[in-house]
């Protein structure tokens, strides 16, 4: 195993200092189970100070909310343990469901509110009269751990999340610029391969969007520019969709009509590519020159416009937007640098992360699995009158919550069980031999330092982080379940068996109810996308910016799953079909925005929207043929109309939709009036 780096050792040392500070305060305050504070300090630890502080606030709120629920519900149902256990199980399920729909750090409020109720409520089933004291003590212990971690990670060599986000943004800009250069230079196979690093930018942008929610809590000056960072991420999001479109149009024209890409076209593409390699100090002037050249290259559309002409129109429209957004990206990046140096920048609104993809069905399955696992453990505990059995439903709720975001949580649960078992001999050594012989906090600190600093140094490493955290929490958790005034082996073993029963039950129930296959998740997401397209065809579409963000988010969610498929030609084609189909929502939204103005000019899009709804309600060859035909008919109507700017936008949207949904269809024919069966 690779030795930890100095930065990882520093992180581990800070975690240990935070944990010992929390333990000392909890002990000095006379709290019954001070090791809860210590364990909490490790659970909330993060290399970035901003992430610790933002999550700390959400965790405190969640802990208080869960405690309030428990204090209110336990006295009411204390005489009927079955109902009390069911109420707590349903509360955990409800909170987990809500937390899974919010893919930002805010989700910690609901997740903590759920399993905190279990941590406090289940032990109180046998002694409901002490629920207020127990709840208050648990909140105090957990809050002490959270606050101690926040203070230590913010004060002792704080590592701001801002520089990390900035480095990742710069890397994303470089990757987009490189991709754009390859597309304009028509580098073969630049982005078409399955699992391409270029397309994985979608996942990177989504991660950055979620990470940037920590910025207001950061220790660096970048916290003052969170609006600019969000807007920069939005623009890179738009560039991804535009790049895919520009590459497709260039490749199609190269294959269909090479003569369309005249020497003048090639010169413009080369000039833009050269601009990408420059310092871009004169971005505004160069952008104006490029836009004028694109206007000169724009063919006049008419009823006789060929497919090549329409593709050129679409290419010009997309390329114009692409270079405009790229110039804005450069300006935003310079504004961020200015803000980091203490300068003044314009205030920007924050991105709306609520538009990210949500899966209500999977959230419900995860919640239902948690309710079943907790209910099974509760039933066994009540029927057997197991003295330490309260730990089983507690741990079942915690495990079902921790791993609910994974397609198949079972391997992670098994790993956690394995390293928890490995921690048992160490925990027993502390409980039986070390802690009873210690009579000062200083000696306790010295006895714990070697184990926790060494084990904790492997937590920041992605390859060993889960295992190390399971081991550390296993030791701290075993101590936290014991009353420091009565540490003894019998209660320890009883509590351990109850925990393991909860772990195993969570794993079994999860495998039966929650675990899904990779292909099933891909199919499910595409079904959700189709339902949204149907809704958009009948109703007003959401703002284009929101649709673009959600589209790139879904590409980011799909890419890791698609990359697991076998890379044979059929699978690659199927993969690219999914990625193209996701972009159709952008085109539907654009057309929805033009609907009213086009209608005033005598062009009705309602037949097109009807065909879109029919196709995505029942995707088959018949509805696909009907939609393809209707797209062409709408193109003919618009091309036969007088030239107006909105018509160029409509032609661009229709052309993009045709290329994304039917890339292998025969070329558009301006004179074909009858539908071909």
């Amino acid at each position: 195993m690779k030795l930890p780096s100095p930065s990882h050792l520093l992180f581990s040392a800070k975690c240990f200092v935070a944990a010992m500070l929390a333990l000392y305060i909890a002990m000095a305050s006379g709290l019954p189970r001070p090791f809860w504070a210590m364990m909490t300090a490790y659970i909330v630890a993060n290399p970035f100070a901003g992430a610790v502080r933002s999550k700390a606030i959400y965790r405190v709120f969640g802990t208080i909310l869960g405690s309030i629920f428990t204090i209110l519900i336990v006295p009411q149902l204390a005489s009927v343990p079955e109902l009390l256990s069911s109420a707590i199980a349903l509360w955990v399920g409800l909170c987990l469901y809500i937390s899974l729909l919010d893919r930002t750090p805010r989700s910690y409020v609901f997740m903590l509110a759920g399993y905190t109720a279990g941590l406090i409520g289940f032990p109180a089933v046998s002694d409901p009269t002490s629920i207020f004291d127990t709840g208050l003590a648990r909140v105090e212990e957990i809050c002490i751990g959270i606050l101690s971690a926040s203070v230590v990670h913010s004060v002792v060599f704080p590592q701001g999340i801002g520089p990390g986000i900035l480095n990742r943004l710069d890397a994303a800009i470089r990757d987009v610029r490189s991709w754009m250069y390859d597309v304009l230079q028509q580098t073969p196979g630049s982005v078409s391969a399955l699992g391409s690093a270029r397309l994985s930018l979608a996942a990177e942008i989504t991660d950055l969007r979620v990470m940037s929610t920590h910025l207001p809590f950061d220790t660096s000056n970048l916290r003052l520019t969170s609006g600019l960072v969000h807007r920069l991420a939005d623009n890179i999001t738009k560039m991804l969709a535009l790049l895919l479109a520009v590459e497709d149009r260039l490749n199609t024209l190269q294959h269909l009509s090479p003569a369309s890409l005249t020497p003048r076209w090639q010169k413009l593409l080369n000039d833009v590519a050269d601009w990408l390699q420059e310092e871009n100090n004169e971005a505004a002037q160069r952008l104006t020159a490029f836009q004028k050249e694109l206007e000169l290259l724009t063919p006049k559309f008419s009823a006789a416009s060929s497919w090549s002409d329409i593709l050129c129109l679409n290419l010009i429209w997309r390329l114009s937007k692409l270079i405009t957004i790229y110039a804005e990206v450069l300006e935003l990046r310079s504004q961020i640098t200015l803000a980091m140096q203490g300068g003044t920048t314009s205030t920007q609104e924050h991105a709306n992360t609520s538009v990210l993809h949500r899966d209500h069905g999977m959230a419900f399955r995860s919640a239902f699995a948690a309710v079943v696992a907790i209910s099974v453990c509760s039933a066994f505990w009540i029927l057997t009158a197991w003295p330490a059995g309260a730990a089983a439903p507690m741990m079942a709720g915690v495990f079902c919550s921790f791993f609910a975001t994974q397609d198949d949580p079972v391997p992670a649960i098994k790993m956690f069980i394995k390293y928890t078992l490995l921690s048992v001999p160490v925990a027993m050594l502390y409980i039986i031999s070390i802690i009873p012989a210690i009579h000062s906090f200083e000696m306790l600190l010295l006895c714990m330092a070697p184990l926790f600093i060494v084990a904790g140094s492997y937590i920041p490493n992605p390859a060993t982080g889960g295992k190390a955290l399971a081991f550390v929490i296993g030791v701290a958790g075993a101590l936290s379940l014991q009353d420091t005034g009565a540490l003894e082996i019998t209660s320890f073993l009883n509590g351990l068996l109850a925990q393991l029963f909860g772990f195993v039950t969570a794993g079994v129930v999860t495998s039966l109810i929650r675990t899904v296959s990779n292909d099933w998740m891909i199919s499910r997401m595409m079904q959700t996308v189709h339902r949204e397209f149907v809704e958009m065809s009948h109703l007003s579409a959401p703002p284009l910016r929101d649709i673009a963000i959600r589209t790139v988010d879904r590409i980011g969610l799909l890419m890791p799953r698609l990359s697991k498929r076998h890379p044979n030609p059929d699978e690659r084609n199927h993969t690219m079909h999914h990625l193209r189909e996701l972009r159709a929502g952008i085109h539907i939204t654009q057309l929805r925005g033009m609907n009213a103005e086009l209608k005033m000019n005598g062009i009705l899009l309602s037949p097109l929207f009807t065909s879109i709804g029919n196709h995505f309600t029942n995707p088959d060859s018949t509805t696909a043929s009907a939609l393809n035909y209707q797209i062409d008919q709408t193109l003919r109507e618009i091309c036969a109309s007088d030239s107006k700017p909105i018509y160029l936008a409509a032609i661009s949207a229709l052309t993009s939709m045709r290329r994304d949904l039917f890339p292998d269809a025969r070329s558009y024919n301006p004179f074909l009036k009858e539908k071909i069966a």
Side-chain angles (χ1 to χ4, degrees):
M1 182 180 292
K2 185 178 178 181
L3 293 175
S5 65
S7 63
H8 291 175
L9 284 169
L10 175 61
F11 169 75
S12 181
K14 290 196 296 183
C15 289
F16 182 71
V17 170
M20 291 299 102
L21 175 62
L23 182 61
Y24 177 80
I25 295 173
M27 284 182 167
S29 302
L31 295 175
R33 298 194 176 181
F35 284 99
W36 270 104
M38 173 185 169
M39 182 175 67
T40 302
Y42 271 100
I43 292 175
V44 303
N46 189 290
F48 298 113
V52 174
R53 295 198 293 186
S54 68
K55 290 180 180 179
I57 292 175
Y58 297 129
R59 282 181 164 118
V60 168
F61 282 136
T63 301
I64 294 173
L65 180 60
S67 302
I68 291 173
F69 169 81
T70 309
I71 292 170
L72 291 176
I73 200 71
V74 169
Q76 305 299 322
L77 301 176
S79 59
V80 189
E82 296 82 2
L83 285 179
L84 178 56
S85 298
S86 299
I88 296 175
L90 291 172
W91 171 259
V92 174
L94 174 64
C95 291
L96 180 58
Y97 172 79
I98 297 173
S99 75
L100 292 174
L101 297 180
D102 186 349
R103 293 167 50 212
T104 71
R106 288 189 303 267
S107 63
Y108 285 103
V109 172
F110 303 103
M111 184 178 290
L112 264 291
Y115 68 71
T116 296
L119 293 174
I120 299 172
F122 285 118
V125 171
S126 58
D127 186 16
T129 59
S130 63
I131 181 59
F132 182 81
D133 293 336
T134 302
L136 181 61
R138 202 66 67 244
V139 169
E140 290 174 337
E141 291 156 1
I142 292 173
C143 288
I144 287 171
I146 291 172
L147 296 175
S148 297
S150 301
V151 169
V152 171
H153 286 281
S154 299
V155 174
V156 181
F157 300 108
Q159 184 177 354
I161 197 172
I165 289 179
L166 205 56
N167 289 336
R168 293 179 69 172
L169 273 175
D170 287 339
I173 293 172
R174 286 195 301 271
D175 289 344
V176 169
R177 182 167 57 234
S178 174
W179 180 1
M180 191 173 169
Y181 182 86
D182 288 344
V183 167
L184 295 176
Q185 294 295 292
Q186 296 170 284
T187 303
S190 60
V191 296
S192 57
L194 174 65
S196 168
R198 304 282 168 77
L199 288 178
S200 68
L201 273 172
E204 177 73 7
I205 294 303
T206 296
D207 287 345
L208 282 170
R209 196 181 303 282
V210 174
M211 282 179 63
S212 61
T213 59
H214 298 301
L215 274 178
F217 304 90
D218 196 36
T219 56
S220 69
N221 284 342
L222 196 63
R223 69 182 183 277
L224 306 175
T225 67
S226 56
L228 291 171
V229 170
H230 282 298
R231 189 175 172 191
L232 184 56
D234 284 350
N235 281 341
I236 297 176
T237 292
K238 296 173 186 175
M239 287 184 69
L240 297 183
L242 289 168
L243 271 167
L244 290 168
V246 169
E247 187 202 30
D248 176 79
R249 307 311 174 260
L250 283 171
N251 289 341
T252 304
L253 283 170
Q254 194 74 269
H255 173 74
L256 183 67
S257 177
S260 301
L261 299 175
T262 61
R264 190 170 184 176
W265 253 113
Q266 293 293 347
K267 182 179 184 306
L268 174 63
L269 295 176
N270 290 334
D271 287 346
V272 176
D274 292 340
W275 174 56
L276 298 175
Q277 306 301 311
E278 298 172 1
E279 290 296 328
N280 298 316
N281 294 323
E282 300 179 351
Q285 295 89 325
R286 297 296 300 274
L287 180 62
T288 301
F290 293 147
Q291 298 288 15
K292 288 182 179 178
E293 184 64 21
L294 285 171
E295 288 180 12
L296 295 174
L297 286 169
T298 303
K300 301 297 181 182
F301 65 86
S302 66
S305 292
S306 67
W307 186 224
S308 297
D309 290 336
I310 290 176
L311 286 174
C312 277
L313 279 170
N314 181 267
L315 174 60
I316 289 167
W317 188 264
R318 299 301 180 195
L319 183 57
S320 175
K321 286 188 174 297
L322 179 63
I323 60 178
T324 299
I325 293 174
Y326 176 68
E328 187 174 346
V329 164
L330 298 178
E331 175 61 23
L332 287 170
R333 183 62 186 85
S334 66
Q335 288 284 307
I336 291 173
T337 299
L338 178 62
M340 292 286 287
Q341 295 171 350
T344 303
T345 63
S346 57
T347 302
Q348 304 292 342
E349 63 175 345
H350 286 235
N352 180 13
T353 52
S354 66
V355 302
L356 300 179
H357 175 73
R358 291 178 173 179
D359 192 331
H360 290 267
M362 287 305 297
F364 177 80
R365 286 177 69 134
S366 297
F368 181 64
V371 171
V372 172
I374 293 171
S375 299
V376 169
C377 291
S378 298
F380 184 80
W381 166 40
I382 293 170
L383 289 173
T384 59
W386 190 358
M394 282 168 48
M395 292 300 107
V398 170
F399 265 49
C400 288
S401 299
F402 272 3
F403 305 109
T405 58
Q406 302 179 12
D407 290 352
D408 183 7
V410 175
I413 292 176
K414 288 181 177 178
M415 180 273 293
F416 214 95
I417 293 174
K418 175 182 176 181
Y419 282 88
T420 299
L421 287 173
L422 290 176
S423 73
V424 169
V426 179
M428 287 181 65
L429 178 64
Y430 274 97
I431 289 173
I432 297 172
S433 303
I434 297 178
I435 293 180
I438 291 174
H439 301 291
S440 69
F441 182 80
E442 292 79 5
M443 285 302 299
L444 179 64
L445 187 151
L446 289 173
C447 290
M448 289 189 164
L451 171 70
F452 283 90
I453 291 179
V454 172
S457 64
Y458 290 96
I459 293 177
N461 186 342
T464 58
K467 301 170 184 177
L469 185 62
F471 181 85
V472 169
I473 291 179
V475 176
L479 296 172
S480 70
L481 292 176
Q482 312 300 312
D483 188 323
T484 53
L487 289 174
E488 44 91 17
I489 192 61
T490 304
S491 63
F492 169 76
L493 291 176
N494 252 312
L496 174 64
L497 290 174
Q499 285 186 70
L500 291 176
F501 183 76
F503 295 163
V504 173
T505 302
V508 172
V509 172
T510 296
S511 66
L512 295 174
I513 297 176
R514 174 62 180 75
T515 300
V516 294
S517 69
N518 187 57
D519 287 344
W520 189 89
M521 281 298 295
I522 294 172
S523 175
R524 178 175 179 79
M525 184 177 293
M526 296 312 299
Q527 289 172 6
T528 301
V529 170
H530 290 175
R531 285 196 299 270
E532 285 189 8
F533 289 172
V534 173
E535 292 173 3
M536 292 162 63
S537 69
H538 297 307
L539 305 170
S540 297
L544 179 60
R545 173 173 170 269
D546 292 354
I547 290 296
I549 290 172
R550 188 179 300 151
T551 297
V552 173
D553 178 41
R554 283 173 170 156
I555 292 174
L557 292 173
L558 277 178
M559 282 308 299
R561 296 182 172 105
L562 291 170
S563 65
K564 295 178 183 178
R565 288 180 161 180
H566 298 295
N568 59 62
D570 290 339
E571 290 290 0
R572 282 199 296 270
N573 291 336
H574 201 46
T575 294
M576 295 310 297
H577 171 72
H578 285 324
L579 297 177
R580 285 193 300 264
E581 197 171 62
L582 284 173
R583 301 200 299 269
I586 297 175
H587 314 320
I588 297 172
T589 306
Q590 291 172 330
L591 291 168
R592 269 291 175 195
M594 307 172 203
N595 187 36
E597 188 171 346
L598 289 174
K599 187 175 182 179
M600 291 173 58
N601 288 276
I603 297 175
L604 299 178
L605 296 182
S606 52
L608 174 64
F609 292 135
T610 299
S611 295
I612 290 171
N614 292 338
H615 174 59
F616 288 107
T617 299
N618 181 28
D620 58 25
S621 58
T622 302
T623 58
S625 176
L627 177 55
N628 190 9
Y629 169 77
Q630 194 57 55
I631 291 173
D632 288 357
Q633 281 290 83
T634 309
L635 272 172
R636 293 185 191 102
E637 289 182 33
I638 295 176
C639 288
S641 304
D642 295 332
S643 178
K644 292 183 180 180
I646 191 172
Y647 291 167
L648 284 173
I651 290 172
S652 178
L654 288 165
T655 306
S656 295
M657 183 182 293
R658 194 184 197 276
R659 284 297 306 160
D660 285 338
L661 295 180
F662 311 111
D664 300 323
R666 66 174 65 190
S667 297
Y668 161 84
N669 185 340
F671 305 109
L672 183 64
K673 300 297 183 183
E674 299 298 326
K675 181 179 178 180
I676 298 178

